[in-house]
Amino acid sequence: MTETEIPTRTLAPAARGAAATTPVRTPAAGTPTAGTPAGGALSGPGLFTLLLGAALPLIDFFIVNVALPTMDRDLNAGPAILELIVAGYGVAYAVLLVLGGRLGDSFGRRRLFLAGMAAFGLTSLACGLAPDAWSLVVARVAQGAAAALMLPQVLATIHASTSGPRRARALSMYGATAGLSMVAGQILGGVLVAADIAGTGWRAVFLVNVPVALIGLALALRTVPETRSNRPSPVDVPGTVLLAVSLITLMVPLTEGRAAGWPLWTWLLLGAFPFAATAFYVIERRADRAGLVPLLPPSLFALRGLRRGLPMVVPFSIGFGGFMFVIAVALQQGLRYGPVAAGLALAPMAAAFFVASLMGPRLVGRYGSRVVTAGGLFQAVGLGLLMLAVARDWPDLSLAGLLPGVALAGFGQGLQLPVLIRIVLAEVPSERAGVGSGVMVTTQQSSLALGVATLGTLFLALAPSTGMGDALVITLVAQLAAVALTVLLSLRLPRVVA
């Protein structure tokens, strides 16, 4: 049996304290995870099931974008509540992701995956049957919490039950699934709303999750191996509370501020954010140095791939999340596209992303992390073409006019995201798979929600005075600045991708 040792010198005292005499080992492919009786190598059907579980929460973050106008008409919701329907899910999801990863480490990742899948199905049913707007907001918050239980187990299980080339392929497939799910969510949402199956209208975007969740549960019981940490740690209550406060004080006012008219409470929350974030970092660093295992161990950032790759996830996801929200609003309210046309306008992006994600592993083997840099440049050119098309043809912009820009941007994104995920998680010890995946997914999800809050707010604030066409161009310029930052940060990535 071959094993890969993770040198303990790369970790801070908290990490070394747990492994002072024995190096942390990552089992080779096919080796059962120590301490997990049901553990074992991840099979093809098992990986498919995990990727299904990864797709559902990401699809549901974006699937409502094209359904919002219909929800507004049916529920008489208004802008503030509509944004809560989006933000409630995103905030609950982001706040609880790291905790979900920690619980999987302690109680078994397969067990938490099953619980999260079942809860996601039930909360989706509650969303689909919501009698009024506020009931839908509450159900969406619960749905986000269920997603936070399920999603961290996907990356953690892949990390703990694969190694070497099999892990690289699985992580590449996860990255491709994540990107495609974000685009496919809006395409699927448009189709379901327009189809109006049995008169369900927008409710179908939630009800469709119920049979999918039942299928996922049946598959997971048979195909997903059980894994857990050999040294599970208790829940870091102070860290969990402070992380929740930090994310809420940042994301809620940014999301709700414009629609609510920026009342005093939004400014008070924003003012509290730096203090909450600082307190969280101080508490976590103190626990790490004391030999405890905090919710988000600062010692993980001693790992070069995570330290250099994770900052890239932030601008990438801010741009991605903001673009998907803004383009849905611009196409439906500005160009008067129906939900199907608004969704299908992004089909070239999804197709190009898929092609790029298939090409990625071979290109990475030859060019290393420079593939990420090239992807950023492709994305920048695509956004430039899209800006030119909007500036030239608005308000008569056709699907054909959108195609070159969105396709090239999607191709660039497909070269970036799967490789970034591999780089961030490559050096994380299997013992900390849940924590590492929680950090990765929390950063991604928080940034997606932040993109909706910032770029979405910018677009909606500019549209009444400048017109939607000019507002879209300005918003795309802001996203282009985020892409430029990702290109610069990509030059610091480890050249060789594990």
Side-chain angles (χ1 to χ4, degrees), residues 60 63 121-130 143 192 197-213:
D60 263 59
I63 201 169
L122 288 173
T123 53
S124 295
L125 181 63
C127 289
L129 299 179
Q143 189 187 35
L192 288 173
I197 302 169
T200 54
W202 60 265
R203 298 177 187 275
V205 304
F206 300 115
L207 296 176
V208 71
N209 293 330
V210 178
V212 177

Side-chain angles (χ1 to χ4, degrees), residues 1-307:
M1 179 179 69
T2 60
E3 294 179 324
T4 303
E5 295 190 3
I6 308 296
T8 59
R9 66 176 180 274
T10 62
L11 302 177
R16 292 198 299 268
T21 58
T22 304
V24 177
R25 298 177 183 270
T26 302
T31 304
T33 305
T36 57
L42 183 64
S43 65
L47 178 60
F48 171 82
T49 304
L50 290 174
L51 295 179
L52 178 66
L56 279 176
L58 291 168
I59 285 174
D60 263 59
F61 183 84
F62 290 96
I63 201 169
V64 299
N65 284 347
V66 292
L68 288 174
T70 312
M71 291 179 187
D72 190 15
R73 288 194 300 271
D74 285 359
L75 301 177
N76 193 25
I81 296 180
L82 286 176
E83 292 193 13
L84 271 178
I85 291 170
V86 177
Y89 178 86
V91 172
Y93 188 14
V95 163
L96 297 173
L97 274 165
V98 178
L99 178 61
R102 173 62 59 85
L103 293 174
D105 284 351
S106 299
F107 298 107
R109 294 157 189 143
R110 176 175 175 268
R111 181 177 299 174
L112 265 292
F113 181 82
L114 290 168
M117 180 74 79
F120 194 84
L122 288 173
T123 53
S124 295
L125 181 63
C127 289
L129 299 179
D132 54 56
W134 281 108
S135 298
L136 180 56
V137 170
V138 172
R140 281 285 282 174
V141 171
Q143 189 187 35
L149 283 181
M150 177 170 59
L151 188 59
Q153 318 315 326
V154 175
L155 278 174
T157 301
I158 289 172
H159 202 74
S161 58
T162 62
S163 67
R166 293 184 68 246
R167 179 184 293 174
R169 285 193 296 271
L171 289 176
S172 294
M173 292 178 70
Y174 172 88
T177 300
L180 284 172
S181 299
M182 291 186 275
V183 181
Q186 291 191 190
I187 298 173
L188 179 61
V191 171
L192 288 173
V193 170
D196 193 22
I197 302 169
T200 54
W202 60 265
R203 298 177 187 275
V205 304
F206 300 115
L207 296 176
V208 71
N209 293 330
V210 178
V212 177
L214 290 173
I215 293 170
L217 283 170
L219 290 172
L221 285 168
R222 298 174 61 87
T223 63
V224 175
E226 181 64 283
T227 64
R228 60 168 59 88
S229 173
N230 288 330
R231 292 186 292 273
S233 304
V235 173
D236 174 15
V237 176
T240 302
V241 172
L242 285 170
L243 177 63
V245 171
S246 299
L247 291 173
I248 288 171
T249 54
L250 175 65
M251 293 168 62
V252 170
L254 286 177
T255 304
E256 286 297 299
R258 185 200 62 84
W262 295 105
L264 178 61
W265 66 264
T266 60
W267 297 108
L268 291 176
L269 284 180
L270 284 173
F273 167 69
F275 298 100
T278 301
F280 173 70
Y281 175 74
V282 170
I283 290 291
E284 297 297 276
R285 184 178 61 177
R286 185 177 299 166
D288 211 9
R289 290 179 173 177
L292 305 174
V293 183
L295 185 72
L296 200 166
S299 58
L300 280 179
F301 289 88
L303 303 174
R304 187 175 62 153
L306 188 143
R307 184 176 68 250

Side-chain angles (χ1 to χ4, degrees), residues 51 54-62 151 171-187 316-317 320-321 323-324 346-357 406 409-419 421 440 444-445 448:
L51 295 179
L56 279 176
L58 291 168
I59 285 174
D60 263 59
F61 183 84
F62 290 96
L151 188 59
L171 289 176
S172 294
M173 292 178 70
Y174 172 88
T177 300
L180 284 172
S181 299
M182 291 186 275
V183 181
Q186 291 191 190
I187 298 173
F316 177 88
S317 299
F320 204 134
F323 173 82
M324 298 300 288
L346 298 174
M349 176 177 280
F353 190 105
F354 180 68
V355 170
S357 64
V406 296
F411 185 81
Q413 290 164 341
L415 291 178
Q416 292 174 82
L417 184 60
V419 183
I421 291 173
M440 166 68 204
Q444 182 188 30
Q445 183 60 40
L448 287 170

